[in-house]
């Protein structure tokens, strides 16, 4: 008789921030998807959301102090039995205590005893997030293998707006599930900065029409989320997508190929790896009509096209440093490997992810399959599966080359 797999155990640490109310919805996501959750709030966190709420949503008593149920040694046991420790909101104070190895309450004791992946989702005012002390504490935690997500930009407490907002529960849940899939051990991209492009560029014909493509951006976003789960600092350059920002990524939104080109050149200078997953329009109208083109009762005037710059080629030729790994994507309708090899030689990138498109393949789907061609002559087949699985395999190949 086959044993039922054990449900993953998550310790949900809650810091003393107003954003704790969002964590209630994250807790619901965990429990509804079969995870066992032990909530460990700090004493001051209970000033924002009370113990009965956490107990009701988790279906378990809340662990609040090292002196509760002392016979069970909670300050050691909770961390030892966890598959993931997820701390949200991670306040500036909590990050400081964790970075310095303090153990003055149950949550910080749990952080010291846990041997599973640890994720911090910071939330605080912009000035606190940007303070050198906080930045040093974040760097320390990341260097030790913890995943520290960058906070989102948006409305903060009161009338303030800026970076420091806790990402939405769906984005936090996606980050947590990707880290759980990676398993134990420090992220192999910890300390690395990666830049990923996603989506499809659009070239305006007139104020209401454009030349574009069918890219949804889902593969690029999967690459961003997976890199975050592996400890990387991620910049996502997003072209015309309707997807929510991945928790922890710095997102730049662009529209045209020219805007994408500028963003990629600006962001790639300090990057260890650059992944061009966006579908870039090869051509653009030679001129853009300032007003909407009207019907005239006859055949429309032809639209003259000119070639767009080759962003991937520019990135490979203008690498910021010798160790930078550049990855390209190629969508082909036939002769996939042959066309991919020729494109790899022209582009000069380290890896080229080649997939077949058309007839419901790749664009706009949850699954993808590809062959990854290497400048070293290697070829890696990735079978059909979730785009997150393909993303993980691509980062495996990138990590090999970075090391």
């Amino acid at each position: 008789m086959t044993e039922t797999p054990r449900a993953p155990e998550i310790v949900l640490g809650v810091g003393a921030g107003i954003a704790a109310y969002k964590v209630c919805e994250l807790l619901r996501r965990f429990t509804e998807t079969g995870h066992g959750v032990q909530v460990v709030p700090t004493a001051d966190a209970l000033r924002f959301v009370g113990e009965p709420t956490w107990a009701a949503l988790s279906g378990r008593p809340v662990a609040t102090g090292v002196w509760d149920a002392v016979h069970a040694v909670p300050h050691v046991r909770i961390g030892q039995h966890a598959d993931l420790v997820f701390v949200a909101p991670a306040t500036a104070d909590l990050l400081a205590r964790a970075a310095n190895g303090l153990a003055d309450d149950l949550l910080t004791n749990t952080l010291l005893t846990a041997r599973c992946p640890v994720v911090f989702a910071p939330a605080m005012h912009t000035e606190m997030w940007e303070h050198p002390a906080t930045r040093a504490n974040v760097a320390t935690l990341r260097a030790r293998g913890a995943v520290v997500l960058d906070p989102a930009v948006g409305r903060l407490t009161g009338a303030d707006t800026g970076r420091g907002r806790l990402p939405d529960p769906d984005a936090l849940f996606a980050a947590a599930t990707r880290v759980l899939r990676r398993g134990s051990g420090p992220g192999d991209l910890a300390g690395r900065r990666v830049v990923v492009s996603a989506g499809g560029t659009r070239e305006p014909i007139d104020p209401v029409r454009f030349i574009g493509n069918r890219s949804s951006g889902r593969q690029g976003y999967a690459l961003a989320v997976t890199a975050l789960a592996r400890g990387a600092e991620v910049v996502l350059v997003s072209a015309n997508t309707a997807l929510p920002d991945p928790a922890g990524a710095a997102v730049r939104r662009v529209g045209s190929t020219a805007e994408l080109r500028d963003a990629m050149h600006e962001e790639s200078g300090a990057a260890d790896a650059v992944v061009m997953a966006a579908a870039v329009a090869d051509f653009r109208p030679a001129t853009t009509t300032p007003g909407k083109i009207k019907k005239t009762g006859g055949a429309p005037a032809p639209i003259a096209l000119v070639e767009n710059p080759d962003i991937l080629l520019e990135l490979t030729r203008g690498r910021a440093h010798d160790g930078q790994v550049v990855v390209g994507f190629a969508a082909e309708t036939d002769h996939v490997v042959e066309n991919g090899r020729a494109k790899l030689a022209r582009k000069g990138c380290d890896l080229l992810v080649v997939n077949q498109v058309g007839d419901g393949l790749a664009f706009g789907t949850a699954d993808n399959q590809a062959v990854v061609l290497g400048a070293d002559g290697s070829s890696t087949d990735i079978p059909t599966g979730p785009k997150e699985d393909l993303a993980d395999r691509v980062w495996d190949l990138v990590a090999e080359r970075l090391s």
Side-chain angles (χ1 to χ4, degrees):
M1 183 170 157
T2 304
E3 292 186 8
T4 302
R6 180 181 69 85
E9 281 290 320
I10 297 174
V11 172
L12 183 58
V14 185
I18 186 63
Y21 77 92
K22 285 187 177 181
V23 184
C24 296
E25 189 58 36
L26 174 62
L27 173 55
R28 185 181 292 278
R29 296 282 199 284
F30 285 144
T31 56
E32 288 180 348
T33 50
H35 300 85
V37 185
Q38 178 63 63
V39 181
V40 183
T42 66
D44 284 338
L46 297 177
R47 294 174 178 266
F48 294 95
V49 178
E51 186 173 337
T53 299
W54 300 120
L57 291 175
S58 67
R60 296 183 180 183
V62 176
T64 58
V66 294
W67 301 107
D68 297 333
V70 174
H71 65 283
V73 199
H75 72 288
V76 174
R77 178 184 54 80
I78 292 174
Q80 288 177 332
H81 293 179
D83 297 299
L84 172 70
V85 178
F86 198 98
V87 182
T91 62
D93 174 73
L94 187 48
L95 291 172
R97 290 190 287 137
N100 286 281
L102 299 184
D104 54 353
D105 62 7
L106 184 58
L107 179 53
T108 49
N109 272 271
T110 299
L111 290 170
L112 286 178
T113 56
R115 293 298 179 265
C116 60
V118 177
V119 180
F120 293 90
M124 63 196 73
H125 265 68
T126 307
E127 294 84 354
M128 300 174 74
W129 173 251
E130 294 177 347
H131 194 281
T134 303
R135 305 308 297 160
N137 291 330
V138 168
T140 296
L141 291 168
R142 286 174 172 165
R144 293 177 186 155
V147 175
V148 184
L149 304 174
D150 279 359
V153 176
R155 182 71 178 267
L156 306 174
T157 305
D160 293 338
T161 299
R163 184 168 296 281
R165 180 183 175 89
L166 186 71
D168 289 335
D170 283 341
L172 294 176
F173 178 74
T177 53
R178 290 310 301 169
V179 173
L180 274 170
R181 285 176 66 92
R182 288 295 304 165
S184 61
D188 53 0
L189 296 178
R192 301 292 191 176
R193 187 177 196 267
V194 303
V195 179
V196 179
S197 69
T201 60
R202 296 177 179 178
E203 308 302 328
I205 298 171
D206 63 20
V208 297
R209 301 179 180 91
F210 59 85
I211 297 172
N213 56 65
R214 299 180 184 275
S215 177
S216 66
R218 294 177 70 167
Q219 185 62 72
Y221 273 62
L223 283 155
V225 171
T226 303
L228 287 161
R230 296 170 75 147
E233 176 189 352
V234 178
V235 177
L236 176 64
V237 182
S238 177
N240 304 299
T241 67
L243 302 170
D245 293 350
V251 180
R252 286 190 61 169
R253 299 199 177 276
V254 297
S256 67
T257 298
E259 292 173 353
L260 176 64
R261 179 194 192 194
D262 290 344
M264 293 303 293
H265 281 293
E266 290 170 11
E267 299 293 349
S268 63
D272 297 290
V274 180
V275 181
M276 273 291 296
V280 181
D282 293 322
F283 305 95
R284 69 181 187 277
T287 60
T288 300
T289 304
K292 179 182 175 182
I293 300 173
K294 303 290 187 180
K295 290 182 179 179
T296 60
I303 299 173
L305 300 177
V306 295
E307 279 195 10
N308 270 324
D310 191 325
I311 302 174
L312 178 58
L313 183 61
E314 291 177 352
L315 291 172
T316 57
R317 288 182 174 175
R319 293 174 198 250
H321 51 87
D322 291 338
Q324 189 177 71
V325 176
V326 180
V327 182
F329 270 68
E332 300 290 344
T333 56
D334 53 42
H335 305 293
V336 173
V337 175
E338 295 90 337
N339 290 340
R341 281 287 179 203
K343 184 170 287 188
L344 176 65
R346 291 196 310 271
K347 305 291 187 180
C349 49
D350 300 285
L351 296 167
L352 187 70
V353 184
V354 190
N355 52 14
Q356 188 167 0
V357 298
D359 297 326
L361 298 174
F363 284 148
T365 65
D367 293 339
N368 204 353
Q369 65 81 35
V371 57
V372 184
L373 305 175
D376 56 2
S378 62
S379 178
T380 304
D381 286 312
I382 303 177
T384 300
K387 289 184 173 177
E388 291 79 6
D389 289 351
L390 188 149
D392 253 330
R393 193 69 189 97
V394 169
W395 288 123
D396 288 343
L397 297 169
V398 171
E400 291 172 7
R401 285 154 177 79
L402 286 174
S403 62

